[in-house]
Amino acid sequence: MDRTTTRPLGRPQGRRWLGGALALAVGSGLVLVGGAGTAQAADVNVAKNAGFENGLTNWSCSAGSGAAVSTPVRTGAGALKATPGGLDNAKCVQTVAVKPGSTYTLSAWVQGGYAYLGVNNTGTGTGTVSTWTPDSPSWKQLTTTFTTGANTTSVEIYTHGWYGTSPYFVDDVSVFGPDGGGGQDPDPVVPATPAGLAAGSTTTSSVDLTWGAVSGATGYKIYRDGANPVAVTGTSTTVSGLNPDTAYQFQVSATNTAGESAKSAAVSARTAKPGDTGPGPAVPKHAVTGYWQNFDNGAAKQKIRDVQSQYDIIAVSFADSTATPGQITFNLDPAVGYTSTADFKADIAAKKAAGKSVIISIGGEKGNVTINSDASATAFANSAYALMQEYGFNGVDIDLEHGINSTYLTKALRQLSAKAGSSLVITMAPQTIDMQSTGTEYFKTALAVKDILTVVNTQYYNSGAMLGCDGKVYSQGSVDFLTALACIQIQGGLAPSQVGLGVPASTRGAGSGYVDPQIVKNALDCLTKLTSCGTFKPAQAWPTLRGAMTWSTNWDATAGNAWSNAVGPHVHALP
């Protein structure tokens, strides 16, 4: 977050790195993070011989490059092996019947050399949608979506490799959507592994779980500590019959008549202690986060009591580092108008009594808290908990903009959680580049603590153009920028309830990327209800999306509270 309206000197380096990535993405259809969409009840797989159980029936491969093989296979007894050679990229195609004006999820499992998956003649946009992956030593799923034009009744799906590279293998192709008149593949494929498993509320004997829907799945199995599978049909369940104050690990798999997917990544949860009243004050299902400035940079000066009522989470910005690595402290700036620390603490208590969460933010543009060892992780947890006890903070916000170490930040947050218990609120505010891939340190941290994580409010500003989850490049300041980038986090494994949209409160709140509140509202509706979308439309609605964030409550006040008055009621009215 900015203490001024300019970014630190390090930001342009990120843009130069991204420029290379964008060039690759535009040229080859790169998708950094993918995931399967949600199928409606009537949807079917309109691809034929999708698992290559009948050789190359229904498929045609260039220059005799394709062959059906019995090993390696992902499921069943067959798979495609395609070998590029010379000027041939080993392209294999199939024409499938589709329904006009409909959305389909195209997916396939691949391994070996470079592998591309795409569709031609969609009748919308450029007519072509594709995704790809470089060498993959094990089976990996490629997924994308496409929408057919008003008069489109068939499309060409294809796979291909790259000239002069190793053979690639394909299995379990799916074109999932409405039946276009050609019927469905008689052999359904084993569904993909569910993503987004998250633990919610706990009691002394139960844990609530939610996860993302999987195309083609007719049911799911919940595993507790790797065993005792329980079959369910929806994408949420309550696991009961547990022991009090006990840690458990949960996994979920997807099932259909073809079989069962691999188990998801495990999520940990601890049941409540006897007499534990549970989390509190509770963060609303749909919440608005605002940063309160503990400094004067020309924005309206506020006391905590003056923070607009639409804000559910108030992030006090910022904690200060000390000479001890990882350790933080807080120094109330006289410039904000408090005459005593006691008055500041009383304002926090009053906001909490009104049902708000007040947390301490760590980092910002100039903040540099280093957590890169066991000692610094412990120092952070101890000092953060001490501030919570002294000032009444409900938790912490991670806004580190100078690099993080996911291993030790995860340890720090887990140590803090062990001290603070179920009432702890943890939020994050990464920059857009930090959430482009699950391989970044920020994303890895978020996934590593998602069982105790409240919300990630990515800063969708001061970033320039970025990749969306569909592999396309979007410019900041648009509905598409907000929705296509938020999609990355959900497809990458965060629960929708852990995703928020971070934007400036006014044109003075950031160097670039300000959007009119109506665009924020449209993006929220697109993600939660599939309405008011731009050119990008998610494959499914995520009605549990947490909400929105702004920098800052002070810049909001400077602009006459225009942001909170528009966005706040809209967030609170989401489904």
Side-chain angles (χ1 to χ4, degrees):
M1 300 296 179
D2 293 344
R3 296 183 189 237
T4 65
T5 57
T6 60
R7 302 302 297 167
L9 294 176
R11 286 294 284 160
Q13 295 177 354
R15 290 198 186 98
R16 286 197 293 272
W17 176 89
L18 181 63
L22 293 183
L24 178 59
V26 172
S28 59
L30 172 65
V31 175
L32 293 179
V33 179
T38 298
Q40 301 303 313
D43 288 352
V44 298
N45 181 11
V46 298
K48 300 298 179 63
N49 191 23
F52 300 94
E53 305 304 312
N54 297 312
L56 294 184
T57 302
N58 298 105
W59 293 91
S60 176
C61 297
S62 61
S65 57
V69 296
S70 59
T71 184
V73 297
R74 179 176 176 268
T75 62
L80 168 69
K81 177 182 179 181
T83 306
L87 299 178
D88 178 63
N89 63 0
K91 185 174 184 179
C92 297
V93 302
Q94 178 182 153
T95 298
V96 298
V98 293
K99 185 176 180 180
S102 301
T103 298
Y104 291 82
T105 298
L106 171 64
S107 67
W109 290 84
V110 300
Q111 71 165 277
Y114 279 67
Y116 291 73
L117 174 69
V119 57
N120 291 324
N121 309 321
T122 65
T124 57
T126 63
T128 298
V129 176
S130 67
T131 183
W132 75 290
T133 184
D135 300 4
S136 179
S138 58
W139 289 109
K140 175 181 181 180
Q141 190 180 38
L142 292 177
T143 302
T144 188
T145 61
F146 66 92
T147 301
T148 56
N151 300 310
T152 302
T153 58
S154 67
V155 298
E156 179 188 77
I157 61 172
Y158 65 84
T159 65
H160 69 74
W162 199 247
Y163 309 96
T165 59
S166 302
Y168 69 94
F169 298 86
V170 182
D171 203 355
D172 298 333
V173 179
S174 177
V175 185
F176 215 78
D179 186 355
Q184 63 179 315
D185 187 57
D187 298 315
V189 298
V190 175
T193 303
L197 178 63
S201 300
T202 63
T203 69
T204 55
S205 62
S206 68
V207 174
D208 289 343
L209 298 174
T210 59
W211 58 92
V214 176
S215 293
T218 56
Y220 301 90
K221 288 185 178 180
I222 304 299
Y223 289 82
R224 186 183 75 197
D225 294 332
N228 306 312
V230 176
V232 299
T233 56
T235 56
S236 64
T237 193
T238 297
V239 181
S240 56
L242 307 178
N243 296 320
D245 192 23
T246 302
Y248 294 92
Q249 280 200 331
F250 300 96
Q251 294 169 285
V252 60
S253 65
T255 62
N256 63 14
T257 56
E260 180 181 0
S261 75
K263 299 184 187 72
S264 70
V267 63
S268 299
R270 178 178 287 275
T271 50
K273 297 178 181 179
D276 188 351
T277 58
V283 175
K285 175 182 177 182
H286 298 297
V288 181
T289 302
Y291 285 79
W292 174 84
Q293 298 179 188
N294 180 43
F295 51 86
D296 180 7
N297 67 344
K301 288 183 284 187
Q302 290 181 316
K303 295 183 178 179
I304 294 292
R305 73 190 72 157
D306 302 322
V307 172
Q308 301 86 330
S309 62
Q310 293 294 338
Y311 293 102
D312 304 294
I313 302 175
I314 303 167
V316 172
S317 312
F318 293 96
D320 297 300
S321 59
T322 72
T324 301
Q327 187 179 67
I328 59 173
T329 187
F330 179 72
N331 299 294
L332 185 62
D333 191 337
V336 300
Y338 280 105
T339 57
S340 70
T341 301
D343 196 20
F344 175 69
K345 294 177 181 178
D347 277 2
I348 293 176
K351 280 293 185 182
K352 290 171 62 178
K356 312 298 183 181
S357 295
V358 184
I359 61 179
I360 181 68
S361 183
I362 292 89
E365 178 197 351
K366 298 181 179 179
N368 190 10
V369 180
T370 301
I371 306 171
N372 59 4
S373 65
D374 286 327
S376 59
T378 299
F380 174 86
N382 289 343
S383 58
Y385 186 58
L387 292 180
M388 291 174 63
Q389 293 180 302
E390 179 180 358
Y391 291 94
F393 296 128
N394 299 106
V396 296
D397 168 69
I398 305 301
D399 183 22
L400 296 171
E401 299 184 4
H402 300 276
I404 64 174
N405 182 306
S406 62
T407 298
Y408 293 105
L409 181 55
T410 296
K411 289 185 176 182
L413 292 174
R414 291 210 171 275
Q415 289 183 46
L416 179 59
S417 176
K419 292 175 177 292
S422 60
S423 64
L424 180 67
V425 175
I426 299 177
T427 69
M428 295 182 179
Q431 298 168 97
T432 50
I433 191 67
D434 296 322
M435 301 301 285
Q436 282 277 283
S437 165
T438 54
T440 65
E441 292 299 293
Y442 240 115
F443 214 140
K444 287 195 291 187
T445 303
L447 293 175
V449 300
K450 71 177 184 178
D451 57 307
I452 57 172
L453 176 64
T454 306
V455 62
V456 176
N457 293 302
T458 301
Q459 302 177 46
Y460 293 119
Y461 51 94
N462 289 330
S463 63
M466 288 281 167
L467 289 171
C469 66
D470 57 353
K472 297 180 181 178
V473 179
Y474 294 100
S475 298
Q476 67 180 5
S478 65
V479 171
D480 289 333
F481 188 82
L482 299 177
T483 55
L485 269 68
C487 168
I488 291 177
Q489 297 172 55
I490 299 172
Q491 290 188 350
L494 292 181
S497 61
Q498 294 174 313
V499 176
L501 309 180
V503 296
S506 72
T507 55
R508 299 178 63 190
S512 65
Y514 171 76
V515 293
D516 187 274
Q518 184 60 50
I519 292 180
V520 182
K521 292 160 64 176
N522 289 347
L524 291 167
D525 287 344
C526 178
L527 292 167
T528 59
K529 297 181 286 188
L530 299 183
T531 62
S532 303
C533 298
T535 59
F536 171 78
K537 188 174 184 179
Q540 68 178 96
W542 294 299
T544 58
L545 190 86
R546 180 66 76 173
M549 171 274 283
T550 197
W551 176 267
S552 62
T553 64
N554 305 75
W555 285 118
D556 186 21
T558 304
N561 303 325
W563 192 89
S564 58
N565 286 342
V567 177
H570 197 82
V571 167
H572 297 139
L574 290 174

